[in-house]
Amino acid sequence: MINLQKLKNGFEYLDISNKSAHAKIALQGAHIFHYAPHNSNPLLWLSQASDFELGKAIRGGVPICWPWFGMSENPELPQHGFARTSMWQLSASSEIDAHTTELTLTLKHSKSSLKLWPYRFELSLHVRVSDTLTMELKTTNLDEKPFKITQALHSYFQISDISHVHIEGLGKSSYFDALTQEQYQQNGDIEFYQEVDRIYQGIKHEIRLVDIKRQIVIKNEGSSSAVVWNPWIEKCARMSAMNNDAYRTMVCIESANALEDAKAIAPLQSHTLKAYIEVTNL
Ligand code: TA6
């Protein structure tokens, strides 16, 4: 079942339920802010202090960072681009079977987008809600000139506690550390003892977020970079829409095209970034 819901302030989202899972997707930002297969607690973390306000990104779920990840060269432009605060359209939906629902949300260039980024485009997010979650973010260049994008499906995952989790699958990758602005080599699993904000590069394998009772597996296509982020104590206290202890129950593993994994897209060509997320109970 797909229901359009509206909060008192006008904020609209799609409530999707089938025999395998429950999900919620805001029309602003095509932002998935809840996903729970029926055999598991929610996979996505959502801040208890999150604002559901028009023009402000939800803190949690899967913000879409596009057409740039992080800061643009022009510091006056919004961090992580404008897609996450733009209003998208539901362009297709289908209940494939009792266990599977598919939807497509679309964003096109507009007068306001052209002021921020001077290209005509179509961006679509195809979502498959079932016992796994699949997101396909397709960028099509509708302009006469080529353009280059960096992007991320900035997934916030719900965890039992930051001291109980580790990340497998990035053990042989190099990464750019956004905190020191230096390049390092990862050796072994990632554990968290301090703020982590890294762009892993040259990724060829699936990534596993291992918690006490479950493991979340992330498989990406059209991407060779992934961001791992936890703000830790001080940054968490400074962050908007985040309680002081929120860093304990979330970690971001973001399916990305960042740094040298940026994508140049020629006129009338497309690029698709795909993330496939599943949970297994341990
Ligand atoms: O992906 C990591 C990151 O770029 C961090 O540096 C960080 O502050 C964060 O995303 C959240 O950004 P936001 O713009 O949503 O506050």
Side-chain angles (χ1 to χ4, degrees):
M1 227 173 7
I2 306 170
N3 283 314
L4 179 66
Q5 305 281 351
K6 199 171 190 167
L7 301 180
K8 276 191 189 139
N9 63 358
F11 195 97
E12 289 182 309
Y13 67 93
L14 300 158
D15 189 292
I16 300 133
S17 55
N18 57 41
K19 281 195 172 167
S20 289
H22 180 212
K24 295 179 187 174
I25 309 178
L27 293 183
Q28 176 174 286
H31 194 140
I32 305 173
F33 63 93
H34 174 74
Y35 169 68
H38 291 329
N39 65 348
S40 179
N41 290 327
L43 264 58
L44 300 176
W45 179 85
L46 177 65
S47 173
Q48 289 171 356
S50 187
D51 303 313
F52 284 81
E53 269 179 54
L54 296 167
K56 263 180 126 184
I58 298 168
R59 177 69 67 203
V62 188
I64 293 177
C65 306
W66 188 97
W68 57 85
F69 172 80
M71 291 306 290
S72 144
E73 278 157 24
N74 176 352
E76 287 178 10
L77 294 177
Q79 154 137 302
H80 293 324
F82 54 84
R84 63 179 177 164
T85 48
S86 298
M87 201 53 76
W88 295 50
Q89 303 290 327
L90 176 65
S91 49
S93 66
S94 164
E95 304 198 295
I96 306 287
D97 58 39
H99 294 269
T100 313
T101 311
E102 293 192 357
L103 300 97
T104 307
L105 292 108
T106 307
L107 178 69
K108 275 193 165 176
H109 60 88
S110 62
K111 264 191 194 159
S112 59
S113 78
L114 288 164
K115 278 187 202 150
L116 297 168
W117 195 63
Y119 302 100
R120 287 177 291 154
F121 65 88
E122 183 178 270
L123 182 63
S124 68
L125 181 74
H126 184 73
V127 185
R128 185 174 205 263
V129 176
S130 191
D131 53 356
T132 58
L133 177 69
T134 309
M135 298 172 275
E136 287 176 58
L137 184 64
K138 181 177 177 188
T139 303
T140 304
N141 184 344
L142 298 181
D143 213 281
E144 280 134 23
K145 42 193 189 297
F147 59 61
K148 206 171 193 181
I149 55 163
T150 53
Q151 61 180 348
L153 294 162
H154 192 304
S155 310
Y156 287 75
F157 292 104
Q158 172 80 45
I159 53 174
S160 61
D161 189 276
I162 194 70
S163 62
H164 295 153
V165 297
H166 67 269
I167 296 174
E168 297 177 353
L170 297 171
K172 292 192 175 78
S173 308
S174 65
Y175 65 85
F176 175 76
D177 191 323
L179 304 174
T180 61
Q181 301 284 304
E182 290 195 31
Q183 197 71 29
Y184 300 92
Q185 178 70 33
Q186 178 72 36
N187 286 313
D189 299 340
I190 305 168
E191 294 179 345
F192 296 87
Y193 308 105
Q194 59 191 357
E195 183 179 353
V196 167
D197 194 347
R198 303 174 182 166
I199 303 175
Y200 284 83
Q201 297 145 291
I203 299 166
K204 296 187 188 78
H205 307 290
E206 64 180 34
I207 304 170
R208 291 178 300 281
L209 173 59
V210 184
D211 204 334
I212 306 174
K213 292 192 178 153
R214 71 179 186 185
Q215 160 175 289
I216 295 172
V217 179
I218 303 137
K219 294 176 193 160
N220 298 323
E221 288 174 26
S223 151
S224 65
S225 50
V227 181
V228 176
W229 177 58
N230 181 285
W232 211 249
I233 301 165
E234 283 166 21
K235 185 163 181 182
C236 186
R238 290 198 307 271
M239 297 285 303
S240 62
M242 232 171 158
N243 291 335
N244 286 356
D245 59 353
Y247 75 96
R248 297 214 69 95
T249 54
M250 54 71 64
V251 67
C252 287
I253 302 176
E254 308 167 30
S255 310
N257 292 115
L259 301 178
E260 73 273 17
D261 190 25
K263 293 292 169 195
I265 307 176
L268 302 179
Q269 299 298 303
S270 300
H271 169 71
T272 301
L273 166 65
K274 183 171 175 180
Y276 171 92
I277 291 164
E278 78 182 327
V279 64
T280 46
N281 293 318
L282 300 174

